């Protein structure tokens, strides 16, 4: 079955960077875009950006431009989210999600990776 | 950016009730509107895509309607496992944006 498995929780200090992975299985990795969505504690869902695993092209949310980088490794069917210059406001659960194609929608989602930014 | 507004933000309902959640977009999104269910500590789950298409495996008591700027999610015969937070999301253009969520609680 189609599955996205994310890396484990991270604790970072303000100003540091974090890199979260999302390993895809059960389908052709290069056939579907992967998005990243985050959710601060007790808050709603915020779209961060998208990567095309086929060519590596990306589109990022404007508010994160300059701090966010999405990459992929086709040999391991893994996409990565790197966020730099971390602030306390970046404390959140980070999810990857596949655009399953046809009418665009997120399905499935990864299990989430909690990133805590604290001094 | 397209703003998505859900109402109500929360509601209390009983098992067996019919529940309706509305979602309005700040500009037309055609039918590029999806609905997700999220339970505490879990990732969101796709329920409805393209405004009214039921995702495979989702119970038929969930239905969606609307196009343009106004959409609804209806849960008929509410079940105990349906108590959760529901989000609408537009996929018309980037940035893909979500409503603020509607929490369905037990009365």
């Amino acid at each position: 079955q189609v599955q996205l498995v994310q890396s484990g929780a991270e604790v970072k200090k303000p100003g540091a960077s974090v890199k979260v992975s999302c390993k895809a299985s059960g389908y052709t990795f290069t056939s579907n875009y992967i998005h990243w969505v985050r959710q601060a504690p007790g808050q709603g869902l915020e779209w961060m950006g998208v990567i095309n695993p086929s060519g590596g092209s990306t589109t990022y949310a404007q508010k994160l431009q300059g701090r966010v980088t999405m990459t992929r490794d086709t040999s391991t069917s893994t996409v990565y989210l790197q966020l730099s210059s971390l602030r306390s406001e970046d404390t959140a659960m980070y999810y990857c999600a596949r655009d399953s194609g046809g009418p665009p929608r997120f399905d499935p989602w990864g299990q989430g990776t909690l990133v805590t930014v604290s001094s | 950016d397209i703003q998505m507004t859900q109402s109500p933000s929360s509601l209390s309902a009983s098992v067996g009730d019919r529940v309706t959640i509305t979602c309005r977009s700040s500009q037309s999104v055609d039918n590029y509107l999806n609905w997700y269910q999220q339970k505490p500590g879990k990732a969101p789950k796709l329920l409805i895509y393209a405004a009214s298409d039921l995702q495979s495996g989702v119970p038929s008591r969930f239905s969606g309607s609307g196009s343009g700027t106004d959409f609804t999610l209806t849960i008929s015969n509410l079940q105990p496992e349906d108590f959760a937070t529901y989000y609408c999301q537009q996929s018309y253009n980037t940035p893909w944006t979500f409503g603020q969520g509607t929490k369905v609680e037990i009365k």
Side-chain angles (χ1 to χ4, degrees), chain A residues 2-4 27 34 96-100 105-110, chain B residues 44:
Chain A
V2 177
Q3 197 172 10
L4 301 176
Y27 72 100
I34 298 286
C96 59
R98 188 187 75 147
D99 177 357
S100 54
R105 71 267 201 191
F106 296 140
D107 180 64
W109 296 60

Side-chain angles (χ1 to χ4, degrees), chain A residues 35 37 39 43-47 59 95 99 103-107 109-110, chain B residues 32 34 36 38 42-44 46 49-50 55 87 89 91 94-96 98:
Chain A
H35 296 248
V37 175
Q39 186 172 36
Q43 302 301 307
L45 300 164
E46 178 187 14
W47 181 83
T59 301
Y95 295 102
D99 177 357
R105 71 267 201 191
F106 296 140
D107 180 64
W109 296 60
Chain B
Y32 290 88
N34 306 315
Y36 301 87
Q38 187 178 34
K42 299 294 187 181
L46 178 67
Y49 64 94
Q55 173 69 0
Y87 293 93
Q89 175 248 328
S91 55
T94 56
W96 291 15
F98 294 86

Side-chain angles (χ1 to χ4, degrees), chain B:
Chain B
D1 298 1
I2 298 175
Q3 307 303 314
M4 308 300 293
T5 303
Q6 288 180 232
S7 61
S9 295
S10 64
L11 64 90
S12 295
S14 300
V15 172
D17 283 354
R18 180 184 180 93
V19 168
T20 298
I21 299 168
T22 65
C23 177
R24 177 166 290 176
S25 56
S26 60
Q27 66 186 73
S28 175
V29 297
D30 196 357
N31 71 331
Y32 290 88
L33 191 285
N34 306 315
W35 290 97
Y36 301 87
Q37 176 194 66
Q38 187 178 34
K39 296 181 178 180
K42 299 294 187 181
K45 171 189 170 185
L46 178 67
L47 297 177
I48 301 284
Y49 64 94
S52 60
D53 289 346
L54 190 67
Q55 173 69 0
S56 175
V58 174
S60 59
R61 61 180 180 274
F62 290 93
S63 63
S65 65
S67 67
T69 61
D70 293 290
F71 303 88
T72 60
L73 173 70
T74 300
I75 312 171
S76 59
N77 189 19
L78 194 69
Q79 294 299 296
E81 60 268 30
D82 301 336
F83 292 95
T85 300
Y86 295 85
Y87 293 93
C88 63
Q89 175 248 328
Q90 64 83 17
S91 55
Y92 184 74
N93 60 19
T94 56
W96 291 15
T97 45
F98 294 86
Q100 81 279 15
T102 297
K103 188 174 185 179
V104 177
E105 298 176 299
I106 302 172
K107 181 183 286 184

